[in-house]
């Protein structure tokens, strides 16, 4: 991914129309990690390009165990959460972790429930923290022409904290009722009962600062 695309689309202060997704596959048997990125189009959400690409990658070795880490500029919508759960139900040997730079229409009840269902299904969802930005910069972004070896955008810290608070509030519901993989069809139609008190201490976010 180009530097300008990463800086622009993963800056939570900006609200771009497109969604970018960078992903990395790490295999359990020492194979070289696979890295790629996609951008949404007017025809398809970026999650569909990602899932189709991973499917093509896995079908030649369906028994392989792997961990996939996604770095998304926007969190998945409710429909894409369902598609991700369907994919993981088909591929139980895949562990998925999702990091997001910002939350997509997170006041929408369907999108909020989609995130809850996805975490209840066993997919950790986190807001990108400063070390995550630096990891992407050093590992997944084409920064050869940049004078910056590291990327610690301290000015994003207030936005990281804000989205972390909101995501904590959304996901707290599913954490109080337990977790574990449930077939996606069982998650699609059930709303969780909200909790009355939320633990939104700063320590729960693991927000890291470098002085």
């Amino acid at each position: 991914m180009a530097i300008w695309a990463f800086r622009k689309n993963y800056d939570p202060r900006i609200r771009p129309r497109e969604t970018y997704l960078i992903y990395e596959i790490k295999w359990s048997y020492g194979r070289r990690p696979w890295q790629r990125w996609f951008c949404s189009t007017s025809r398809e959400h970026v999650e569909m390009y990602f899932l189709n690409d991973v499917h093509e990658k896995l079908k030649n070795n369906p028994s392989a165990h792997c961990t996939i880490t996604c770095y998304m500029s926007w969190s998945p919508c409710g429909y894409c959460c369902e598609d991700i759960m369907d994919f993981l139900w088909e591929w139980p040997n895949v562990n998925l972790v999702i990091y997001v730079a910002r939350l997509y229409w997170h006041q929408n009840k369907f999108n909020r429930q989609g995130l809850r269902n996805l975490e209840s299904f066993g997919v950790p969802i986190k807001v990108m923290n400063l070390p995550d930005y630096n990891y992407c910069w050093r590992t997944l972004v084409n920064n050869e022409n940049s004078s910056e070896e590291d990327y610690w955008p301290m000015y994003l810290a207030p936005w990281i904290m804000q989205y972390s608070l909101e995501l904590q509030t959304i996901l707290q519901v599913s954490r109080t009722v337990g977790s574990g993989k449930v077939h996606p069809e069982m998650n699609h139609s059930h709303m969780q009962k909200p909790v009355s008190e939320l633990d939104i201490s700063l320590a729960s976010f693991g927000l890291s600062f470098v002085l």
Side-chain angles (χ1 to χ4, degrees), residues 59-90:
K59 71 178 184 180
N60 294 326
N61 194 358
S63 61
H65 289 262
C66 64
T67 297
I68 303 177
T69 305
C70 288
Y71 300 91
M72 301 182 61
S73 60
W74 287 100
S75 62
C77 70
Y79 294 106
C80 288
C81 288
E82 293 179 354
D83 291 329
I84 292 171
M85 288 189 291
D86 290 337
F87 173 85
L88 293 175
W89 189 264
E90 180 183 355

Side-chain angles (χ1 to χ4, degrees), residues 47-172:
E47 291 87 347
M48 297 301 99
Y49 295 118
F50 158 67
L51 294 176
N52 290 335
D53 191 63
V54 174
H55 177 82
E56 290 299 313
K57 194 70 176 175
L58 294 177
K59 71 178 184 180
N60 294 326
N61 194 358
S63 61
H65 289 262
C66 64
T67 297
I68 303 177
T69 305
C70 288
Y71 300 91
M72 301 182 61
S73 60
W74 287 100
S75 62
C77 70
Y79 294 106
C80 288
C81 288
E82 293 179 354
D83 291 329
I84 292 171
M85 288 189 291
D86 290 337
F87 173 85
L88 293 175
W89 189 264
E90 180 183 355
W91 296 94
N93 53 320
V94 173
N95 293 318
L96 179 64
V97 180
I98 296 177
Y99 291 86
V100 301
R102 59 180 75 79
L103 301 178
Y104 176 78
W105 283 84
H106 57 282
Q107 300 300 334
N108 180 282
K109 292 183 179 180
F110 183 66
N111 291 339
R112 294 168 74 91
Q113 187 61 40
L115 295 175
R116 294 186 190 112
N117 291 342
L118 197 56
E119 191 188 63
S120 294
F121 195 72
V123 179
I125 309 169
K126 306 175 183 179
V127 172
M128 288 179 65
N129 207 338
L130 296 178
D132 304 315
Y133 280 92
N134 192 50
Y135 179 80
C136 288
W137 182 265
R138 294 178 61 90
T139 310
L140 306 172
V141 175
N142 183 14
N143 63 359
E144 294 179 358
N145 297 323
S146 173
S147 59
E148 300 178 72
E149 293 185 3
D150 293 293
Y151 183 59
W152 294 89
M154 296 294 297
Y155 53 86
L156 298 184
W159 294 85
I160 293 172
M161 186 183 302
Q162 177 182 336
Y163 279 121
S164 296
L165 282 165
E166 185 60 35
L167 183 60
Q168 176 82 356
T169 301
I170 294 170
L171 298 181
Q172 189 71 30

Side-chain angles (χ1 to χ4, degrees), residues 6-65:
F6 180 72
R7 286 186 183 275
K8 172 186 175 182
N9 289 280
Y10 286 82
D11 185 337
R13 302 172 302 173
I14 303 173
R15 302 175 65 85
R17 298 185 63 179
E18 300 85 3
T19 300
Y20 278 73
L21 184 154
I22 311 171
Y23 80 89
E24 181 177 45
I25 302 179
K26 292 185 177 179
W27 311 93
S28 60
Y29 52 91
R31 185 178 173 183
R32 184 177 180 180
W34 171 260
Q35 302 165 348
R36 202 167 185 184
W37 66 271
F38 291 98
C39 177
S40 62
T41 66
S42 58
R43 296 177 298 176
E44 198 69 86
H45 285 196
V46 71
E47 291 87 347
M48 297 301 99
Y49 295 118
F50 158 67
L51 294 176
N52 290 335
D53 191 63
V54 174
H55 177 82
E56 290 299 313
K57 194 70 176 175
L58 294 177
K59 71 178 184 180
N60 294 326
N61 194 358
S63 61
H65 289 262

